Amino acid sequence: MWAPPVSTNFASIHLAALTDEAITIIREVAAECDNPVLLFSGGKDSAVLLHLALLAFAPARLPFPVMHVDTGHNFDEVIAYRDEFVASNDVRLVVASVQDSIDTGRVVEDNGPRASRNRLQSVTLLDAITEHGFDAAFGGGRRDEDKARAKERILSFRDRQGRWDPRQQRPEPWGVLNARIRKGEHLRAFPLSNWTELDIWRYIAAHEVALPSIYYSHTRTVVARDGMLLSVGGPVVLEPHEASFEAVVRYRTVGDASCTGAVESTAATVEDVIAEVAAARITERGATRADDTFSESAMEDRKREGYF
């Protein structure tokens, strides 16, 4: 029976196949659509996605802009990282502001200690897509993150109101992508659909992709709330019965600071994180995002409204 050479690294072969698939998707969508944009949160998935997009068109400049939907409740480290990343790679940045949506009356902000702007992003995103005439938006979503993500195809279509209907998704037999859309519609493209959190970190290690420092172990003042460790300060204000404390933590995912929790961790290097993720038995969103535990269908409900 045939056996592979001992030196064959199947993890590397797997990662190379995922990389080739993602780059092919990015090039295909860019060729078929008139005005695409890449959604960039400053998180690990969008960082890998942007890195792949840069590779897809190198040595030419990225032919489409990058858009950040800014809730105004971001971690300072993430905003600094975002600005440095786009500047060093000569990328055009579009910022869509949730605060502007609030100021113009497009959305109404919740109040209270558990209020979050995360859900408000959908309106801001859809308004920005309409304003700039984007017909395709690349996102860093992966199928292993959430059951709603697992329902999506690589190309996910949105109607004239920006809504998603899982029953209307097109089949993609043999990886054949159909990017045709009618006027007023747009699509979301997910080149990382078949990746896992572990694949993301292995790519980060192999290509030395820089990330915000909060992805690695550090000491932070936090409060234990609803089973999560939330960073005290900014949108997170202590309630009378709560007490803050210092903990050694890192973030597995980056989002609105009001609803994104840290995990206790001493993983200070990429290799440490890979070992930690390989042993994890719950997805990063399931462990650290309050907005995903609001209801059984929280993610799907937001996606139906236009969330990415």
Side-chain angles (χ1 to χ4, degrees):
M1 185 175 70
W2 177 87
V6 175
S7 60
T8 299
N9 187 330
F10 284 98
S12 297
I13 293 172
H14 171 70
L15 192 59
L18 289 174
T19 299
D20 288 345
E21 177 188 61
I23 288 176
T24 298
I25 293 166
I26 292 168
R27 288 173 175 166
E28 186 74 18
V29 172
E32 291 195 44
C33 296
D34 294 326
N35 190 23
V37 66
L38 188 147
L39 303 177
F40 184 72
S41 68
K44 66 184 186 308
D45 299 319
S46 62
V48 167
L49 180 60
L50 180 51
H51 191 274
L52 288 164
L54 292 168
L55 284 179
F57 300 102
R61 185 188 186 197
L62 191 69
F64 44 77
V66 165
M67 180 164 68
H68 179 211
V69 180
D70 182 359
T71 66
H73 289 166
N74 301 282
F75 294 96
D76 292 340
E77 298 92 333
V78 174
I79 294 299
Y81 165 79
R82 178 201 71 184
D83 294 342
E84 181 180 349
F85 198 133
V86 299
S88 61
N89 289 285
D90 190 27
V91 172
R92 181 163 69 91
L93 175 66
V94 174
V95 177
S97 169
V98 171
Q99 184 63 56
D100 288 348
S101 298
I102 295 170
D103 293 343
T104 57
R106 289 286 294 147
V107 295
V108 178
E109 185 170 19
D110 293 334
N111 295 309
R114 285 169 173 75
S116 173
R117 292 182 173 184
N118 203 53
R119 192 168 190 132
L120 306 184
Q121 292 181 84
S122 298
V123 172
T124 306
L125 171 62
L126 293 175
D127 285 350
I129 286 173
T130 299
E131 177 186 351
H132 296 279
F134 296 129
D135 57 355
F138 292 102
R142 310 185 325 264
R143 290 192 178 116
D144 71 323
E145 289 180 272
D146 184 271
K147 59 187 177 183
R149 296 270 199 221
K151 291 183 180 181
E152 257 179 331
R153 304 288 194 261
I154 289 173
L155 298 189
S156 179
F157 293 84
R158 301 300 196 269
D159 65 17
R160 286 179 172 83
Q161 286 74 45
R163 295 171 304 195
W164 173 68
D165 184 347
R167 297 169 299 180
Q168 299 297 322
Q169 298 303 289
R170 297 173 185 174
E172 293 173 347
W174 309 289
V176 177
L177 304 179
N178 177 1
R180 291 193 297 269
I181 55 175
R182 292 186 288 269
K183 186 174 181 178
E185 298 176 336
H186 70 278
L187 63 87
R188 312 285 171 86
F190 297 103
L192 306 181
S193 286
N194 294 324
W195 296 52
T196 65
E197 184 183 9
L198 188 57
D199 293 327
I200 292 292
W201 278 103
R202 284 175 171 161
Y203 185 92
I204 289 166
H207 295 271
E208 299 182 345
V209 178
L211 292 178
S213 60
I214 62 175
Y215 272 107
Y216 302 101
S217 180
H218 60 286
T219 300
R220 183 174 289 264
T221 302
V222 298
V223 59
R225 180 184 295 172
D226 301 332
M228 296 186 303
L229 299 177
L230 297 178
S231 180
V232 175
V236 178
V237 179
L238 293 177
E239 296 186 66
H241 67 279
E242 293 179 324
S244 63
F245 58 95
E246 287 197 342
V248 178
V249 301
R250 75 175 190 88
Y251 286 84
R252 288 179 66 185
T253 182
V254 163
D256 190 289
S258 65
C259 61
T260 303
V263 294
E264 293 188 276
S265 173
T266 58
T269 67
V270 175
E271 291 73 22
D272 293 341
V273 173
I274 288 174
E276 187 176 273
V277 170
R281 291 296 176 267
I282 187 170
T283 68
E284 65 268 44
R285 294 190 70 96
T288 63
R289 294 294 286 272
D291 51 322
D292 291 339
T293 59
F294 182 77
S295 71
E296 283 286 329
S297 60
M299 170 69 82
E300 183 164 327
D301 291 343
R302 294 201 310 280
K303 291 180 73 62
R304 289 177 183 273
E305 296 169 357
Y307 188 76
F308 47 86

